[in-house]
Amino acid sequence: MDLELKGKRAVITGGSVGIGFAVANALAAEGVDIVIVARDRPRVESQAAAIARAHGVRALGISADVSRKEEIDAAVARLSAAFDGVDILINNAGTGTSETIMDAPDEKWNHFWDLHVMAAVRLSRAVVPLMRKRGGGVILNTASICAKQPLGYEPIYNTTKAALVMFSKCLSNELIPENIRVNAVNPGLILTQDWKKTAAVLTQGTGTTVDQYLDKIAKDNAPIGRFATPEELAHFYVFLCSPRSSYCVGSSYYVDGGWLKTME
């Protein structure tokens, strides 16, 4: 199927590893020029170069901490100098947390609010004018199944991802008259390095291997009985970025192997 994406331009935050890098590669395979944004300068630049070599597209790596407004402003300035318009924005930067509500200080709440919510607000405000130059566009916000079905050990993550879903809905209503479609994606168990690192910590000295721990997590929670790869999830992002999903507006899509326990 021709997804009609060749020649489009996409910006992906958290784009040098995991879900973001998989989405960047999947879009580049469709002929999309790519800008990936991440904190680690050597890695983001080398990953952008790898995408360009693999797919024959333009690819730019920009180092920025999107939890900081001034770094977003600098990143958008570089983006605007390189591309006179943008078609796709994927607000993907983020990470899990671990705390209790009673013990977590304000500083931790504020950091993850800036990372998971305000980064999407600020980048959307900055990139939408570049979408208008192209006659419209697509914004996808990476939320989480935890926005609906919270995990007990990460209340800040649960809360900020729920806020990101509501932001997506509000922004979709505001921008659809300008032919800019906004949706949220709520992944479930996606096998990223974060999961592997967490598993390594939790299994240290227990006699349980990382693979055994992750296999049990999957079988205990997802009816499909396994984690998804970032590449599996990326295929869904590519569809939502394409004109083939032209009637998908203001929704939250669960890609979770059946993990959600309620009707949505």
Side-chain angles (χ1 to χ4, degrees), residues 37-240:
V37 181
R39 289 177 298 172
D40 187 318
R41 183 183 302 277
R43 184 168 63 193
V44 75
E45 291 178 352
S46 68
Q47 294 290 59
I51 290 170
R53 286 194 304 270
H55 303 291
V57 299
R58 290 183 66 192
L60 174 65
I62 298 177
S63 173
D65 179 349
V66 296
S67 72
R68 301 172 65 87
K69 180 183 182 300
E70 63 273 18
E71 295 200 28
I72 289 177
D73 292 342
V76 172
R78 281 197 63 194
L79 166 65
S80 300
F83 293 94
D84 61 358
V86 170
D87 303 285
I88 298 162
L89 169 63
I90 298 176
N91 290 307
N92 173 73
T95 189
T97 65
S98 179
E99 66 281 316
T100 65
I101 293 172
M102 298 308 296
D103 293 335
D106 286 1
E107 291 78 11
K108 188 170 188 180
W109 281 92
N110 290 337
H111 170 73
F112 283 100
W113 181 261
D114 280 336
L115 178 62
H116 291 156
V117 182
M118 290 309 300
V121 173
R122 291 164 177 154
L123 279 156
S124 298
R125 282 194 309 230
V127 172
V128 162
L130 297 174
M131 289 184 171
R132 289 175 179 143
K133 294 181 179 182
R134 304 280 282 181
V138 172
I139 299 174
L140 297 182
N141 296 318
T142 301
S144 171
I145 190 174
C146 295
K148 178 80 171 182
Q149 184 169 282
L151 288 172
Y153 60 82
E154 51 184 9
I156 295 177
Y157 183 85
N158 301 334
T159 300
T160 53
K161 289 298 187 177
L164 182 59
V165 169
M166 180 56 77
F167 166 71
S168 302
K169 183 63 175 177
C170 294
L171 188 64
S172 74
N173 293 336
E174 186 170 326
L175 295 182
I176 193 58
E178 300 185 69
N179 193 35
I180 298 173
R181 296 187 295 110
V182 183
N183 290 289
V185 180
N186 292 342
L189 296 173
I190 312 299
L191 192 55
T192 62
Q193 284 301 119
D194 275 353
W195 267 109
K196 293 177 183 178
K197 289 177 184 176
T198 299
V201 171
L202 294 176
T203 58
Q204 189 172 12
T206 67
T208 300
T209 69
V210 167
D211 287 343
Q212 287 170 338
Y213 174 85
L214 293 173
D215 184 62
K216 186 175 189 306
I217 289 288
K219 287 183 166 54
D220 286 350
N221 292 288
I224 200 171
R226 63 176 178 83
F227 278 72
T229 66
E231 290 73 22
E232 282 181 283
L233 178 61
H235 295 316
F236 189 68
Y237 277 75
V238 171
F239 169 72
L240 286 179

